[in-house]
Amino acid sequence: MDTEEIPSAPSTPATPGTPGAPLFGGFKSERTNNYKKSLLKSCKCFSVEAWALEEGSLPPVSCTMPLPPPPVSLTRKVGAEFIGTLILIFAGTATAIVNQKTGGSETLIGLAASTGLAVMIVILATGHISGAHLNPSVTIAFAALKHFPWKNVPAYIVAQILASICAAFILKGIFHPIMGGGVTVPSCGNGEAFVLEFIITFNLMFVVTAVATDTRAVGELAGIAVGATVMLNILIAGPATGASMNPVRTLGPAIAANNFKAIWVYLTAPILGALAGAGVYTAVKLPDDKAARVDKPSSAAPSFRR
């Protein structure tokens, strides 16, 4: 019996509430005269024992269902979110402070690379535990699109705020009185800063929604994709606004340095930009019924992901 090979959907990062790919697709078979062929070569779920039977007989076939991952408690998720946000805020803010202390030796590329690498590392380290939101804007956007339960939003946001404040005061203790460089303040008008923060957060959340919620995206590369987007955004808006993209990236250092200049921009624009980015990707992504037809072999050019 020959089977038609079913292309498997790439996996996605372990974001709480993220829809997953189906376990396995259906298959169709046709009878042939040669019984020594493998029964289900394309179905990885099945294992066929070695042939040691008489001509014309079929081997025993067994199917094992993969066990679901064990549930993660909310306490562990919040703990991972706290640690991940602490690492991110510490790395991004420390690089900015060192750049100010050394007269710009880090350069804009160094600042972008530091924050992008921090995002990538934290996603790879904690994404399978908490989803590695690291940002109230991401948490709210996921909840608004029903990819994350609203009941867990307050706990996540509190953990993110506390992590930001802790990281900022640790840095203040290390680098005092040089702390001003770690605060994101606009060097342009507030209106321009608002638009820039909205756009770069839109870019970020568009990519995050793609790799975290779409089963056809390359989920294994989520950390690289999101980290690269953060780097790009900092190169675009870093000189003008500091490229916060994250309310707690601004809030903690602002409290530690007692500098609240235009803080309303950094508390509102990222949230609105994240909601817009997540909503736009959800609107343009391929529906599941059309995806099933696209995944079937056709005369069209093959996707580079295959």
Side-chain angles (χ1 to χ4, degrees):
M1 300 169 66
D2 292 333
T3 57
E4 179 184 353
E5 291 192 2
I6 306 299
S8 59
S11 61
T12 57
T15 301
T18 299
L23 179 61
F24 51 80
F27 57 87
K28 57 183 180 179
S29 60
E30 297 177 358
R31 291 187 174 273
T32 65
N33 293 327
N34 186 0
Y35 285 99
K36 290 188 177 181
K37 292 184 179 180
S38 174
L39 285 177
L40 296 169
K41 293 187 295 182
S42 65
C43 187
K44 296 181 181 179
C45 170
F46 288 84
S47 60
V48 182
E49 295 182 1
W51 292 97
L53 302 176
E54 298 179 358
E55 180 73 19
S57 60
L58 293 175
V61 179
S62 62
C63 179
T64 58
M65 304 287 286
L67 296 176
V72 181
S73 67
L74 180 60
T75 302
R76 292 180 183 273
K77 292 178 181 179
V78 171
E81 191 69 12
F82 176 87
I83 295 172
T85 308
L86 179 69
I87 294 172
L88 173 61
I89 303 301
F90 185 90
T93 308
T95 307
I97 294 174
V98 171
N99 187 59
Q100 180 194 32
K101 184 177 181 180
T102 58
S105 63
E106 296 281 353
T107 73
L108 179 61
I109 295 177
L111 295 173
S114 173
T115 306
L117 287 172
V119 169
M120 181 185 70
I121 291 168
V122 172
I123 289 176
L124 295 176
T126 65
H128 58 287
I129 302 174
S130 67
H133 295 184
L134 315 176
N135 186 336
S137 302
V138 174
T139 302
I140 292 172
F142 272 145
L145 294 177
K146 300 181 179 180
H147 294 303
F148 187 75
W150 277 107
K151 64 181 180 180
N152 294 345
V153 169
Y156 265 55
I157 293 179
V158 168
Q160 292 158 357
I161 293 174
L162 292 178
S164 173
I165 294 174
C166 289
F169 276 94
I170 291 172
L171 289 170
K172 184 176 182 179
I174 297 172
F175 293 105
H176 184 76
I178 304 175
M179 183 65 191
V183 183
T184 54
V185 293
S187 60
C188 55
N190 290 348
E192 297 172 358
F194 184 93
V195 173
L196 273 174
E197 285 293 322
F198 179 93
I199 292 174
I200 61 177
T201 312
F202 176 95
N203 297 342
L204 175 63
M205 196 63 205
F206 187 88
V207 174
V208 169
T209 307
V211 298
T213 68
D214 197 333
T215 57
R216 290 168 297 278
V218 185
E220 293 86 352
L221 302 180
I224 298 175
V226 177
T229 305
V230 170
M231 290 180 62
L232 176 64
N233 286 338
I234 293 176
L235 292 174
I236 293 172
T241 68
S244 175
M245 299 169 278
N246 187 342
V248 299
R249 166 62 182 90
T250 298
L251 182 61
I255 294 174
N258 195 28
N259 184 353
F260 299 96
K261 179 181 178 182
I263 193 170
W264 67 270
V265 171
Y266 300 97
L267 297 182
T268 57
I271 294 176
L272 296 176
L275 289 171
V280 169
Y281 184 84
T282 302
V284 301
K285 78 174 182 178
L286 193 64
D288 292 337
D289 56 343
K290 293 183 180 179
R293 293 195 293 271
V294 170
D295 284 342
K296 291 182 179 179
S298 65
S299 58
S303 169
F304 71 93
R305 295 193 184 113
R306 299 291 184 263

